[in-house]
Amino acid sequence: GPDAQDTYLNEENSLILGHLRLSIIDLSTSANQPFFSSDNRYVIIFNGEIYNFKEIKNDCKIETKTNGDTEIIIEAFAQHGTNSFTWLNGMFAFAIYDIQEQKITLCRDRFGIKPLFYYYDGQRFAFASEIKALKKIKGLDLKKNKDTFPSFLHLGYIPYPYTVYQHIYKFPQGAYLEIDLNKEKTESLNFNYYWKLNEQISRHTFSDEAEVKTELIRLLEDSVDKQLVSDVPIGTFLSGGIDSSLITAIAAKLNSNKIKTFSIGYEKTQYNQYNEAQFAETVAKHIGTEHYSLTLKEEDILPILSNIINTYDEPYADSSAYPTMLVSKLAREQVTVTLSGDGADELFMGY
Protein backbone atom coordinates (compact mmCIF):
# COMPACT_ATOMS: atom_id res chain seq x y z
CA GLY A 1 0.00 0.00 0.00
CA PRO A 2 1.12 3.60 -0.67
CA ASP A 3 -0.23 5.37 2.42
CA ALA A 4 2.34 4.55 5.14
CA GLN A 5 5.29 2.30 5.85
CA ASP A 6 7.18 1.36 9.00
CA THR A 7 9.06 -1.49 10.68
CA TYR A 8 9.50 -3.07 14.09
CA LEU A 9 12.92 -4.48 14.95
CA ASN A 10 13.87 -6.81 17.79
CA GLU A 11 17.60 -7.30 17.45
CA GLU A 12 17.81 -9.78 20.33
CA ASN A 13 15.73 -12.32 18.41
CA SER A 14 16.76 -11.28 14.89
CA LEU A 15 13.13 -10.38 14.25
CA ILE A 16 11.85 -7.68 11.95
CA LEU A 17 8.24 -6.88 11.00
CA GLY A 18 7.51 -4.52 8.11
CA HIS A 19 4.26 -3.07 6.80
CA LEU A 20 3.07 -1.02 3.82
CA ARG A 21 -0.41 0.41 4.35
CA LEU A 22 -3.39 0.89 2.04
CA SER A 23 -5.88 2.86 4.14
CA ILE A 24 -9.50 1.66 3.97
CA ILE A 25 -10.79 2.01 7.55
CA ASP A 26 -9.59 4.81 9.87
CA LEU A 27 -7.40 6.87 7.57
CA SER A 28 -5.56 8.57 10.47
CA THR A 29 -1.88 8.00 11.24
CA SER A 30 -2.82 6.53 14.64
CA ALA A 31 -3.93 3.38 12.80
CA ASN A 32 -0.58 2.92 11.02
CA GLN A 33 1.31 -0.32 11.48
CA PRO A 34 3.20 -2.05 13.06
CA PHE A 35 0.54 -1.47 15.72
CA PHE A 36 1.03 -2.03 19.46
CA SER A 37 -1.52 -3.28 21.97
CA SER A 38 -2.61 -0.96 24.75
CA ASP A 39 -0.27 -2.71 27.23
CA ASN A 40 2.62 -2.64 24.70
CA ARG A 41 3.08 -6.40 25.07
CA TYR A 42 1.97 -7.27 21.52
CA VAL A 43 2.74 -5.83 18.09
CA ILE A 44 0.79 -6.67 14.92
CA ILE A 45 1.14 -6.30 11.17
CA PHE A 46 -2.12 -6.96 9.36
CA ASN A 47 -3.33 -7.09 5.75
CA GLY A 48 -7.05 -7.22 5.02
CA GLU A 49 -10.42 -6.27 6.48
CA ILE A 50 -12.40 -7.59 9.45
CA TYR A 51 -16.07 -7.05 8.64
CA ASN A 52 -17.43 -7.67 12.14
CA PHE A 53 -14.82 -5.76 14.12
CA LYS A 54 -17.43 -3.50 15.73
CA GLU A 55 -19.32 -6.52 17.08
CA ILE A 56 -16.09 -7.99 18.50
CA LYS A 57 -15.28 -4.64 20.08
CA ASN A 58 -18.63 -4.58 21.87
CA ASP A 59 -18.53 -8.26 22.89
CA CYS A 60 -15.03 -7.96 24.36
CA LYS A 61 -15.69 -4.47 25.81
CA ILE A 62 -12.54 -3.14 24.15
CA GLU A 63 -11.60 0.49 24.77
CA THR A 64 -10.00 1.84 21.60
CA LYS A 65 -7.89 4.80 20.50
CA THR A 66 -8.62 4.25 16.79
CA ASN A 67 -11.70 3.55 14.69
CA GLY A 68 -10.16 0.67 12.76
CA ASP A 69 -10.11 -3.11 12.77
CA THR A 70 -6.38 -3.59 13.41
CA GLU A 71 -6.71 -2.54 17.03
CA ILE A 72 -9.64 -4.92 17.57
CA ILE A 73 -7.63 -7.93 16.35
CA ILE A 74 -4.71 -7.29 18.67
CA GLU A 75 -6.81 -6.38 21.73
CA ALA A 76 -9.06 -9.43 21.29
CA PHE A 77 -5.90 -11.53 21.02
CA ALA A 78 -4.49 -9.92 24.15
CA GLN A 79 -7.65 -10.93 26.01
CA HIS A 80 -8.41 -14.35 24.57
CA GLY A 81 -5.36 -15.54 22.63
CA THR A 82 -5.83 -17.70 19.54
CA ASN A 83 -9.44 -18.46 20.54
CA SER A 84 -10.29 -15.00 19.17
CA PHE A 85 -9.43 -16.11 15.62
CA THR A 86 -12.71 -18.03 15.30
CA TRP A 87 -14.63 -14.75 15.69
CA LEU A 88 -12.96 -13.01 12.76
CA ASN A 89 -15.22 -12.56 9.73
CA GLY A 90 -13.24 -11.15 6.86
CA MET A 91 -10.26 -11.52 4.56
CA PHE A 92 -6.94 -11.25 6.33
CA ALA A 93 -3.40 -12.34 6.96
CA PHE A 94 -1.58 -11.08 10.03
CA ALA A 95 1.32 -11.68 12.39
CA ILE A 96 1.32 -10.88 16.11
CA TYR A 97 4.53 -10.83 18.12
CA ASP A 98 4.42 -11.38 21.89
CA ILE A 99 7.33 -9.30 23.16
CA GLN A 100 7.13 -10.79 26.64
CA GLU A 101 7.04 -14.47 25.66
CA GLN A 102 9.09 -13.93 22.48
CA LYS A 103 6.54 -15.82 20.39
CA ILE A 104 5.18 -14.94 16.97
CA THR A 105 1.74 -16.03 15.74
CA LEU A 106 0.70 -15.97 12.08
CA CYS A 107 -2.89 -16.40 10.91
CA ARG A 108 -4.73 -16.53 7.57
CA ASP A 109 -8.44 -16.13 6.85
CA ARG A 110 -10.92 -19.00 6.51
CA PHE A 111 -10.75 -19.29 2.71
CA GLY A 112 -7.25 -17.98 2.06
CA ILE A 113 -8.47 -14.86 0.28
CA LYS A 114 -5.53 -12.74 1.42
CA PRO A 115 -2.16 -14.11 0.29
CA LEU A 116 0.46 -15.29 2.76
CA PHE A 117 3.72 -17.03 1.86
CA TYR A 118 6.44 -18.35 4.12
CA TYR A 119 10.03 -19.50 3.72
CA TYR A 120 11.39 -22.28 5.90
CA ASP A 121 14.50 -24.41 5.44
CA GLY A 122 14.69 -25.89 8.94
CA GLN A 123 16.65 -22.92 10.25
CA ARG A 124 15.53 -19.63 8.78
CA PHE A 125 11.89 -18.55 8.75
CA ALA A 126 10.37 -15.60 6.91
CA PHE A 127 6.92 -14.64 5.68
CA ALA A 128 5.32 -12.05 3.40
CA SER A 129 2.21 -11.19 1.43
CA GLU A 130 4.19 -11.59 -1.79
CA ILE A 131 7.00 -13.90 -2.88
CA LYS A 132 8.94 -10.94 -4.24
CA ALA A 133 9.39 -9.62 -0.68
CA LEU A 134 10.97 -12.90 0.41
CA LYS A 135 13.35 -12.74 -2.54
CA LYS A 136 14.74 -9.48 -1.13
CA ILE A 137 16.06 -11.24 1.97
CA LYS A 138 19.76 -12.05 1.62
CA GLY A 139 21.01 -15.58 2.10
CA LEU A 140 17.82 -17.54 1.42
CA ASP A 141 18.00 -20.72 -0.66
CA LEU A 142 15.75 -19.93 -3.63
CA LYS A 143 16.31 -22.94 -5.87
CA LYS A 144 13.46 -23.67 -8.26
CA ASN A 145 11.14 -26.51 -7.31
CA LYS A 146 11.11 -28.52 -10.53
CA ASP A 147 8.59 -30.97 -9.06
CA THR A 148 5.91 -28.29 -9.47
CA PHE A 149 6.39 -27.97 -13.23
CA PRO A 150 4.04 -30.85 -14.19
CA SER A 151 1.28 -29.41 -11.99
CA PHE A 152 1.69 -26.02 -13.62
CA LEU A 153 1.58 -27.45 -17.13
CA HIS A 154 -1.58 -29.37 -16.24
CA LEU A 155 -3.43 -26.71 -14.21
CA GLY A 156 -1.98 -23.41 -15.36
CA TYR A 157 -0.92 -22.54 -11.81
CA ILE A 158 1.05 -24.08 -8.94
CA PRO A 159 -1.36 -25.51 -6.34
CA TYR A 160 -1.21 -25.18 -2.54
CA PRO A 161 0.97 -25.64 -0.59
CA TYR A 162 3.80 -25.35 -3.09
CA THR A 163 5.36 -22.49 -5.02
CA VAL A 164 7.94 -22.45 -7.78
CA TYR A 165 10.67 -22.23 -5.07
CA GLN A 166 11.78 -25.22 -2.98
CA HIS A 167 11.57 -23.58 0.45
CA ILE A 168 8.70 -21.13 -0.12
CA TYR A 169 5.17 -22.33 0.59
CA LYS A 170 1.62 -21.03 0.63
CA PHE A 171 0.30 -20.65 4.18
CA PRO A 172 -2.79 -22.84 4.77
CA GLN A 173 -6.23 -21.23 4.92
CA GLY A 174 -8.18 -21.17 8.18
CA ALA A 175 -5.00 -21.83 10.12
CA TYR A 176 -2.51 -20.24 12.47
CA LEU A 177 1.10 -20.98 13.34
CA GLU A 178 2.93 -20.26 16.60
CA ILE A 179 6.70 -19.96 16.63
CA ASP A 180 8.57 -19.76 19.93
CA LEU A 181 11.79 -17.88 19.26
CA ASN A 182 13.32 -19.34 22.44
CA LYS A 183 13.18 -22.92 21.13
CA GLU A 184 15.39 -24.74 18.69
CA LYS A 185 14.20 -24.93 15.11
CA THR A 186 12.56 -28.16 13.90
CA GLU A 187 12.36 -29.87 10.53
CA SER A 188 8.62 -29.20 10.25
CA LEU A 189 6.09 -26.57 11.30
CA ASN A 190 2.90 -27.43 13.19
CA PHE A 191 -0.16 -25.61 11.88
CA ASN A 192 -3.34 -25.32 13.95
CA TYR A 193 -6.69 -25.08 12.16
CA TYR A 194 -9.23 -22.77 13.79
CA TRP A 195 -11.82 -23.21 10.99
CA LYS A 196 -12.58 -25.99 8.51
CA LEU A 197 -15.29 -25.84 5.89
CA ASN A 198 -16.45 -29.45 6.27
CA GLU A 199 -17.06 -28.85 9.98
CA GLN A 200 -19.35 -25.91 9.23
CA ILE A 201 -21.73 -27.74 6.90
CA SER A 202 -24.89 -29.36 8.26
CA ARG A 203 -27.86 -30.88 6.46
CA HIS A 204 -31.24 -29.21 6.80
CA THR A 205 -34.32 -29.75 4.64
CA PHE A 206 -36.70 -26.87 3.94
CA SER A 207 -40.29 -27.60 3.01
CA ASP A 208 -41.28 -24.01 2.23
CA GLU A 209 -39.67 -22.47 -0.89
CA ALA A 210 -40.61 -18.95 0.23
CA GLU A 211 -38.77 -19.52 3.50
CA VAL A 212 -35.65 -20.56 1.58
CA LYS A 213 -35.75 -17.41 -0.57
CA THR A 214 -36.26 -15.18 2.46
CA GLU A 215 -33.31 -16.76 4.27
CA LEU A 216 -31.07 -16.53 1.19
CA ILE A 217 -31.84 -12.84 0.77
CA ARG A 218 -31.15 -12.23 4.46
CA LEU A 219 -27.78 -13.99 4.30
CA LEU A 220 -26.72 -12.19 1.11
CA GLU A 221 -27.72 -8.76 2.40
CA ASP A 222 -26.00 -9.38 5.72
CA SER A 223 -22.79 -10.46 3.99
CA VAL A 224 -22.69 -7.51 1.58
CA ASP A 225 -23.66 -5.03 4.27
CA LYS A 226 -20.71 -6.09 6.43
CA GLN A 227 -18.36 -5.44 3.49
CA LEU A 228 -19.66 -1.92 2.87
CA VAL A 229 -17.87 -0.56 5.95
CA SER A 230 -15.24 1.82 4.59
CA ASP A 231 -13.86 5.32 5.04
CA VAL A 232 -13.21 5.61 1.29
CA PRO A 233 -15.67 5.39 -1.64
CA ILE A 234 -17.17 1.98 -2.43
CA GLY A 235 -17.16 0.29 -5.83
CA THR A 236 -17.75 -3.16 -7.32
CA PHE A 237 -16.33 -5.11 -10.22
CA LEU A 238 -19.28 -5.85 -12.46
CA SER A 239 -18.90 -8.52 -15.15
CA GLY A 240 -22.59 -8.78 -15.97
CA GLY A 241 -22.85 -12.33 -14.62
CA ILE A 242 -25.21 -13.47 -11.88
CA ASP A 243 -22.79 -13.20 -8.93
CA SER A 244 -21.39 -9.72 -9.49
CA SER A 245 -24.77 -8.36 -10.62
CA LEU A 246 -26.43 -9.64 -7.46
CA ILE A 247 -23.68 -8.26 -5.20
CA THR A 248 -23.83 -4.89 -6.95
CA ALA A 249 -27.62 -4.70 -6.74
CA ILE A 250 -27.55 -5.39 -3.00
CA ALA A 251 -24.69 -2.94 -2.43
CA ALA A 252 -26.58 -0.21 -4.32
CA LYS A 253 -29.68 -0.92 -2.25
CA LEU A 254 -27.85 -0.77 1.10
CA ASN A 255 -25.42 2.06 0.38
CA SER A 256 -26.65 5.64 0.71
CA ASN A 257 -24.17 6.92 -1.89
CA LYS A 258 -24.12 6.02 -5.57
CA ILE A 259 -22.08 2.89 -6.27
CA LYS A 260 -19.31 2.98 -8.86
CA THR A 261 -19.00 -0.09 -11.08
CA PHE A 262 -16.17 -1.29 -13.32
CA SER A 263 -16.15 -3.83 -16.14
CA ILE A 264 -14.00 -4.95 -19.03
CA GLY A 265 -15.00 -5.83 -22.59
CA TYR A 266 -13.25 -7.17 -25.66
CA GLU A 267 -12.80 -5.70 -29.09
CA LYS A 268 -14.75 -7.55 -31.81
CA THR A 269 -12.37 -10.45 -32.55
CA GLN A 270 -12.42 -14.21 -32.25
CA TYR A 271 -12.64 -13.64 -28.47
CA ASN A 272 -15.95 -11.80 -28.73
CA GLN A 273 -17.80 -14.81 -27.33
CA TYR A 274 -16.30 -13.90 -23.95
CA ASN A 275 -17.42 -10.28 -24.13
CA GLU A 276 -20.01 -9.60 -21.43
CA ALA A 277 -19.58 -5.84 -21.29
CA GLN A 278 -23.04 -5.23 -22.75
CA PHE A 279 -24.62 -7.25 -19.95
CA ALA A 280 -22.67 -5.26 -17.36
CA GLU A 281 -23.84 -1.98 -18.90
CA THR A 282 -27.45 -3.19 -18.87
CA VAL A 283 -27.22 -4.14 -15.20
CA ALA A 284 -25.48 -0.87 -14.28
CA LYS A 285 -28.17 1.15 -16.06
CA HIS A 286 -30.96 -0.81 -14.37
CA ILE A 287 -29.44 -0.43 -10.89
CA GLY A 288 -28.36 3.16 -11.46
CA THR A 289 -24.61 2.96 -10.81
CA GLU A 290 -21.81 5.24 -11.97
CA HIS A 291 -20.39 2.83 -14.53
CA TYR A 292 -16.91 2.67 -16.06
CA SER A 293 -16.06 0.28 -18.88
CA LEU A 294 -12.78 -0.53 -20.61
CA THR A 295 -12.43 -2.30 -23.98
CA LEU A 296 -9.46 -4.65 -24.19
CA LYS A 297 -7.53 -4.64 -27.48
CA GLU A 298 -4.82 -7.05 -28.55
CA GLU A 299 -2.27 -4.24 -28.64
CA ASP A 300 -3.00 -3.54 -24.95
CA ILE A 301 -1.49 -6.89 -23.93
CA LEU A 302 2.22 -6.51 -24.73
CA PRO A 303 2.88 -3.37 -22.62
CA ILE A 304 1.52 -5.04 -19.48
CA LEU A 305 3.23 -8.45 -19.81
CA SER A 306 6.14 -7.47 -17.57
CA ASN A 307 3.73 -6.11 -14.96
CA ILE A 308 1.80 -9.40 -14.95
CA ILE A 309 4.97 -11.44 -14.41
CA ASN A 310 6.05 -9.12 -11.59
CA THR A 311 2.61 -9.17 -9.94
CA TYR A 312 1.99 -12.92 -9.80
CA ASP A 313 5.55 -13.82 -8.69
CA GLU A 314 5.42 -17.35 -10.13
CA PRO A 315 4.14 -19.03 -13.32
CA TYR A 316 0.46 -18.30 -13.92
CA ALA A 317 -1.22 -19.19 -17.22
CA ASP A 318 -4.78 -17.86 -16.93
CA SER A 319 -5.53 -15.35 -19.70
CA SER A 320 -7.91 -13.50 -17.35
CA ALA A 321 -4.77 -11.92 -15.89
CA TYR A 322 -4.75 -9.46 -18.81
CA PRO A 323 -8.15 -7.85 -18.22
CA THR A 324 -7.54 -8.07 -14.48
CA MET A 325 -4.46 -5.88 -14.76
CA LEU A 326 -6.18 -3.37 -17.02
CA VAL A 327 -9.44 -3.03 -15.10
CA SER A 328 -7.54 -2.72 -11.82
CA LYS A 329 -5.70 0.24 -13.32
CA LEU A 330 -9.05 1.73 -14.34
CA ALA A 331 -10.43 1.21 -10.84
CA ARG A 332 -7.39 2.70 -9.11
CA GLU A 333 -7.80 5.83 -11.18
CA GLN A 334 -11.41 6.23 -10.04
CA VAL A 335 -12.04 4.68 -6.61
CA THR A 336 -10.84 2.22 -3.99
CA VAL A 337 -12.72 -1.01 -4.67
CA THR A 338 -13.61 -3.28 -1.76
CA LEU A 339 -16.01 -5.80 -3.28
CA SER A 340 -15.50 -8.40 -5.99
CA GLY A 341 -17.85 -10.46 -8.08
CA ASP A 342 -17.80 -13.49 -10.35
CA GLY A 343 -15.69 -14.82 -13.20
CA ALA A 344 -12.37 -13.11 -13.76
CA ASP A 345 -13.37 -10.50 -11.17
CA GLU A 346 -12.53 -12.97 -8.42
CA LEU A 347 -8.85 -12.59 -9.25
CA PHE A 348 -8.96 -9.16 -7.69
CA MET A 349 -9.14 -10.74 -4.27
CA GLY A 350 -5.60 -12.01 -4.75
CA TYR A 351 -4.26 -9.17 -6.85
Coordinates of all heavy atoms in Angstrom, one line a residue, residues 209-263:
E209 N -40.6 -23.2 0.0 CA -39.7 -22.5 -0.9 C -39.6 -21.0 -0.6 O -38.5 -20.4 -0.7 CB -40.2 -22.6 -2.3 CG -39.2 -22.0 -3.4 CD -39.7 -22.2 -4.8 OE1 -40.7 -23.0 -5.0 OE2 -39.1 -21.6 -5.7
A210 N -40.6 -20.4 -0.1 CA -40.6 -18.9 0.2 C -39.7 -18.7 1.4 O -39.0 -17.7 1.5 CB -42.0 -18.5 0.6
E211 N -39.7 -19.6 2.3 CA -38.8 -19.5 3.5 C -37.3 -19.6 3.1 O -36.5 -18.8 3.6 CB -39.1 -20.7 4.5 CG -38.2 -20.6 5.8 CD -38.5 -21.8 6.7 OE1 -39.4 -22.6 6.4 OE2 -37.7 -21.9 7.7
V212 N -37.0 -20.4 2.1 CA -35.6 -20.6 1.6 C -35.2 -19.2 0.9 O -34.1 -18.8 1.2 CB -35.6 -21.7 0.6 CG1 -34.2 -21.7 -0.1 CG2 -35.9 -23.0 1.2
K213 N -36.1 -18.7 0.1 CA -35.7 -17.4 -0.6 C -35.5 -16.3 0.4 O -34.6 -15.5 0.3 CB -36.9 -17.0 -1.5 CG -37.0 -18.0 -2.8 CD -38.1 -17.5 -3.7 CE -38.2 -18.4 -4.9 NZ -39.3 -18.0 -5.8
T214 N -36.4 -16.2 1.4 CA -36.3 -15.2 2.5 C -34.9 -15.3 3.2 O -34.2 -14.3 3.4 CB -37.4 -15.3 3.5 OG1 -38.6 -15.1 2.8 CG2 -37.3 -14.2 4.5
E215 N -34.6 -16.5 3.5 CA -33.3 -16.8 4.3 C -32.1 -16.5 3.4 O -31.1 -15.9 3.8 CB -33.3 -18.2 4.8 CG -32.0 -18.6 5.5 CD -31.7 -17.8 6.8 OE1 -32.7 -17.0 7.2 OE2 -30.7 -18.0 7.4
L216 N -32.2 -16.8 2.1 CA -31.1 -16.5 1.2 C -30.9 -15.0 1.0 O -29.7 -14.5 1.1 CB -31.4 -17.2 -0.2 CG -30.3 -16.9 -1.3 CD1 -29.0 -17.4 -0.9 CD2 -30.8 -17.5 -2.6
I217 N -31.9 -14.3 0.9 CA -31.8 -12.8 0.8 C -31.2 -12.2 2.0 O -30.4 -11.4 2.0 CB -33.2 -12.2 0.5 CG1 -33.7 -12.6 -0.9 CG2 -33.2 -10.7 0.6 CD1 -35.1 -12.2 -1.2
R218 N -31.7 -12.7 3.2 CA -31.1 -12.2 4.5 C -29.6 -12.5 4.6 O -28.9 -11.6 4.9 CB -31.9 -12.9 5.6 CG -31.5 -12.3 7.0 CD -31.9 -13.2 8.1 NE -31.2 -14.5 8.2 CZ -29.9 -14.6 8.7 NH1 -29.3 -13.6 9.1 NH2 -29.3 -15.8 8.7
L219 N -29.2 -13.7 4.2 CA -27.8 -14.0 4.3 C -27.0 -13.1 3.3 O -25.9 -12.6 3.7 CB -27.6 -15.5 4.0 CG -28.1 -16.5 5.1 CD1 -28.0 -17.9 4.6 CD2 -27.2 -16.3 6.3
L220 N -27.4 -13.0 2.1 CA -26.7 -12.2 1.1 C -26.6 -10.7 1.5 O -25.6 -10.1 1.5 CB -27.4 -12.3 -0.3 CG -27.3 -13.6 -1.0 CD1 -28.2 -13.7 -2.2 CD2 -25.8 -13.8 -1.5
E221 N -27.7 -10.2 2.0 CA -27.7 -8.8 2.4 C -26.8 -8.5 3.6 O -26.1 -7.5 3.7 CB -29.1 -8.3 2.7 CG -30.0 -8.2 1.4 CD -31.3 -7.5 1.6 OE1 -31.7 -7.4 2.8 OE2 -32.0 -7.2 0.7
D222 N -26.8 -9.5 4.5 CA -26.0 -9.4 5.7 C -24.5 -9.4 5.3 O -23.7 -8.6 5.8 CB -26.3 -10.5 6.7 CG -25.5 -10.5 7.9 OD1 -25.6 -9.5 8.7 OD2 -24.6 -11.4 8.1
S223 N -24.2 -10.3 4.4 CA -22.8 -10.5 4.0 C -22.3 -9.2 3.3 O -21.2 -8.7 3.6 CB -22.7 -11.7 3.1 OG -21.3 -11.8 2.6
V224 N -23.1 -8.7 2.3 CA -22.7 -7.5 1.6 C -22.6 -6.3 2.5 O -21.7 -5.5 2.4 CB -23.6 -7.3 0.4 CG1 -23.3 -5.9 -0.3 CG2 -23.5 -8.4 -0.6
D225 N -23.6 -6.2 3.4 CA -23.7 -5.0 4.3 C -22.4 -4.9 5.1 O -21.9 -3.8 5.4 CB -24.9 -5.1 5.2 CG -25.1 -3.9 6.0 OD1 -25.0 -2.8 5.4 OD2 -25.5 -4.0 7.2
K226 N -21.9 -6.1 5.6 CA -20.7 -6.1 6.4 C -19.5 -5.6 5.6 O -18.6 -5.0 6.2 CB -20.4 -7.5 6.9 CG -21.3 -7.9 8.1 CD -20.9 -9.3 8.6 CE -21.5 -9.7 10.0 NZ -23.0 -9.8 9.8
Q227 N -19.5 -5.8 4.3 CA -18.4 -5.4 3.5 C -18.5 -4.0 3.0 O -17.5 -3.6 2.2 CB -18.2 -6.4 2.3 CG -17.9 -7.8 2.8 CD -17.7 -8.8 1.7 OE1 -16.9 -8.6 0.8 NE2 -18.5 -9.9 1.6
L228 N -19.5 -3.3 3.3 CA -19.7 -1.9 2.9 C -19.1 -0.9 3.9 O -19.1 0.3 3.6 CB -21.1 -1.6 2.7 CG -21.8 -2.3 1.5 CD1 -23.3 -2.0 1.5 CD2 -21.2 -1.9 0.2
V229 N -18.5 -1.4 5.0 CA -17.9 -0.6 6.0 C -16.5 -0.1 5.4 O -15.6 -0.8 5.2 CB -17.7 -1.3 7.3 CG1 -17.0 -0.4 8.3 CG2 -19.0 -1.8 7.8
S230 N -16.4 1.2 5.2 CA -15.2 1.8 4.6 C -15.2 3.3 4.8 O -16.3 4.0 4.8 CB -15.2 1.5 3.1 OG -14.1 2.1 2.5
D231 N -14.0 3.9 4.9 CA -13.9 5.3 5.0 C -13.4 5.9 3.7 O -13.0 7.1 3.7 CB -12.8 5.7 6.1 CG -13.4 5.3 7.5 OD1 -14.6 5.4 7.7 OD2 -12.6 4.9 8.4
V232 N -13.5 5.1 2.7 CA -13.2 5.6 1.3 C -14.4 5.2 0.4 O -15.2 4.3 0.8 CB -11.9 5.0 0.8 CG1 -10.7 5.5 1.5 CG2 -11.9 3.5 0.8
P233 N -14.5 5.7 -0.8 CA -15.7 5.4 -1.6 C -15.7 3.9 -2.0 O -14.7 3.2 -2.0 CB -15.4 6.2 -2.9 CG -14.6 7.4 -2.4 CD -13.7 6.8 -1.4
I234 N -16.9 3.4 -2.2 CA -17.2 2.0 -2.4 C -17.4 1.8 -3.9 O -18.1 2.6 -4.6 CB -18.4 1.5 -1.6 CG1 -18.1 1.6 -0.1 CG2 -18.8 0.1 -2.1 CD1 -17.1 0.6 0.3
G235 N -16.9 0.7 -4.4 CA -17.2 0.3 -5.8 C -17.2 -1.2 -6.0 O -16.8 -1.9 -5.1
T236 N -17.7 -1.7 -7.1 CA -17.7 -3.2 -7.3 C -17.2 -3.4 -8.7 O -17.3 -2.6 -9.6 CB -19.2 -3.8 -7.2 OG1 -20.0 -3.3 -8.3 CG2 -19.8 -3.4 -5.9
F237 N -16.7 -4.6 -8.9 CA -16.3 -5.1 -10.2 C -17.5 -5.8 -10.8 O -18.0 -6.8 -10.2 CB -15.1 -6.1 -10.1 CG -13.9 -5.4 -9.6 CD1 -13.1 -5.9 -8.6 CD2 -13.5 -4.2 -10.2 CE1 -12.0 -5.3 -8.1 CE2 -12.3 -3.5 -9.7 CZ -11.6 -4.1 -8.7
L238 N -18.0 -5.4 -11.9 CA -19.3 -5.9 -12.5 C -19.0 -6.5 -13.8 O -18.7 -5.8 -14.8 CB -20.3 -4.7 -12.6 CG -21.6 -5.0 -13.2 CD1 -22.4 -6.0 -12.4 CD2 -22.5 -3.7 -13.4
S239 N -19.1 -7.8 -13.9 CA -18.9 -8.5 -15.1 C -20.2 -8.7 -16.0 O -20.1 -9.0 -17.1 CB -18.3 -9.9 -14.9 OG -19.3 -10.8 -14.3
G240 N -21.3 -8.5 -15.3 CA -22.6 -8.8 -16.0 C -23.1 -10.2 -15.7 O -24.3 -10.5 -16.1
G241 N -22.4 -11.0 -15.0 CA -22.8 -12.3 -14.6 C -23.7 -12.3 -13.4 O -24.0 -11.2 -12.8
I242 N -24.2 -13.4 -13.0 CA -25.2 -13.5 -11.9 C -24.6 -13.0 -10.6 O -25.2 -12.2 -9.8 CB -25.7 -14.9 -11.7 CG1 -26.6 -15.3 -12.9 CG2 -26.6 -15.0 -10.5 CD1 -27.1 -16.7 -12.9
D243 N -23.4 -13.5 -10.2 CA -22.8 -13.2 -8.9 C -22.5 -11.7 -8.7 O -23.0 -11.1 -7.8 CB -21.5 -14.0 -8.8 CG -21.7 -15.5 -8.7 OD1 -22.9 -15.9 -8.7 OD2 -20.7 -16.2 -8.7
S244 N -21.8 -11.1 -9.7 CA -21.4 -9.7 -9.5 C -22.6 -8.8 -9.6 O -22.7 -7.8 -9.0 CB -20.3 -9.3 -10.5 OG -20.8 -9.4 -11.8
S245 N -23.6 -9.2 -10.5 CA -24.8 -8.4 -10.6 C -25.6 -8.4 -9.3 O -26.1 -7.3 -8.9 CB -25.6 -8.9 -11.8 OG -24.9 -8.8 -13.0
L246 N -25.7 -9.5 -8.7 CA -26.4 -9.6 -7.5 C -25.8 -8.9 -6.3 O -26.4 -8.1 -5.6 CB -26.6 -11.1 -7.1 CG -27.4 -11.4 -5.8 CD1 -28.8 -10.9 -6.0 CD2 -27.4 -12.9 -5.6
I247 N -24.4 -9.0 -6.2 CA -23.7 -8.3 -5.2 C -23.8 -6.8 -5.4 O -24.1 -6.0 -4.5 CB -22.2 -8.7 -5.3 CG1 -22.0 -10.1 -4.7 CG2 -21.3 -7.7 -4.4 CD1 -20.6 -10.6 -4.9
T248 N -23.7 -6.3 -6.7 CA -23.8 -4.9 -6.9 C -25.2 -4.4 -6.6 O -25.4 -3.3 -6.1 CB -23.5 -4.6 -8.4 OG1 -22.1 -5.1 -8.7 CG2 -23.6 -3.1 -8.7
A249 N -26.2 -5.1 -7.0 CA -27.6 -4.7 -6.7 C -27.9 -4.5 -5.2 O -28.5 -3.6 -4.8 CB -28.6 -5.7 -7.3
I250 N -27.4 -5.5 -4.4 CA -27.5 -5.4 -3.0 C -26.8 -4.2 -2.4 O -27.2 -3.5 -1.6 CB -27.1 -6.7 -2.3 CG1 -28.1 -7.8 -2.8 CG2 -27.1 -6.6 -0.8 CD1 -27.6 -9.2 -2.3
A251 N -25.5 -4.0 -2.9 CA -24.7 -2.9 -2.4 C -25.3 -1.6 -2.7 O -25.3 -0.7 -1.9 CB -23.3 -3.0 -3.1
A252 N -25.9 -1.5 -3.9 CA -26.6 -0.2 -4.3 C -27.8 0.0 -3.4 O -28.1 1.2 -3.1 CB -27.0 -0.3 -5.8
K253 N -28.5 -1.0 -3.1 CA -29.7 -0.9 -2.2 C -29.3 -0.5 -0.8 O -30.0 0.3 -0.2 CB -30.4 -2.3 -2.2 CG -31.6 -2.3 -1.2 CD -32.1 -3.7 -1.2 CE -33.2 -3.9 -0.1 NZ -33.7 -5.3 0.0
L254 N -28.2 -1.0 -0.3 CA -27.9 -0.8 1.1 C -27.0 0.5 1.3 O -27.0 1.0 2.4 CB -27.1 -2.0 1.7 CG -27.8 -3.3 1.7 CD1 -26.9 -4.4 2.2 CD2 -29.1 -3.2 2.6
N255 N -26.3 0.9 0.2 CA -25.4 2.1 0.4 C -26.1 3.4 0.1 O -26.9 3.5 -0.9 CB -24.2 1.9 -0.6 CG -23.1 2.8 -0.2 OD1 -22.7 2.8 1.0 ND2 -22.5 3.5 -1.1
S256 N -26.0 4.4 0.9 CA -26.7 5.6 0.7 C -26.1 6.4 -0.5 O -26.8 7.2 -1.1 CB -26.6 6.5 2.0 OG -25.2 6.7 2.4
N257 N -24.8 6.2 -0.8 CA -24.2 6.9 -1.9 C -24.2 6.1 -3.1 O -24.3 4.8 -3.1 CB -22.7 7.2 -1.5 CG -22.6 8.2 -0.4 OD1 -23.4 9.1 -0.3 ND2 -21.7 7.9 0.5
K258 N -24.1 6.7 -4.3 CA -24.1 6.0 -5.6 C -22.9 5.1 -5.7 O -21.8 5.5 -5.5 CB -24.2 7.0 -6.7 CG -24.6 6.5 -8.0 CD -24.9 7.6 -9.1 CE -25.5 7.0 -10.3 NZ -25.9 8.1 -11.3
I259 N -23.2 3.9 -6.1 CA -22.1 2.9 -6.3 C -21.4 3.1 -7.6 O -22.0 3.3 -8.6 CB -22.6 1.5 -6.2 CG1 -23.1 1.1 -4.8 CG2 -21.6 0.4 -6.7 CD1 -22.0 0.9 -3.8
K260 N -20.1 3.0 -7.6 CA -19.3 3.0 -8.9 C -19.0 1.5 -9.3 O -18.7 0.7 -8.5 CB -18.0 3.7 -8.7 CG -18.1 5.2 -8.5 CD -16.8 5.9 -8.5 CE -17.0 7.4 -8.3 NZ -15.7 8.1 -8.4
T261 N -19.2 1.3 -10.6 CA -19.0 -0.1 -11.1 C -18.0 -0.1 -12.2 O -17.9 0.9 -12.9 CB -20.3 -0.7 -11.6 OG1 -21.0 0.2 -12.5 CG2 -21.2 -1.0 -10.4
F262 N -17.2 -1.2 -12.3 CA -16.2 -1.3 -13.3 C -16.3 -2.6 -14.1 O -16.5 -3.7 -13.4 CB -14.8 -1.2 -12.6 CG -14.6 0.1 -11.8 CD1 -15.1 0.1 -10.5 CD2 -14.1 1.2 -12.4 CE1 -14.9 1.3 -9.8 CE2 -13.9 2.3 -11.7 CZ -14.3 2.4 -10.4
S263 N -16.1 -2.6 -15.4 CA -16.2 -3.8 -16.1 C -15.2 -3.7 -17.3 O -14.7 -2.7 -17.6 CB -17.6 -4.1 -16.6 OG -17.9 -3.1 -17.6

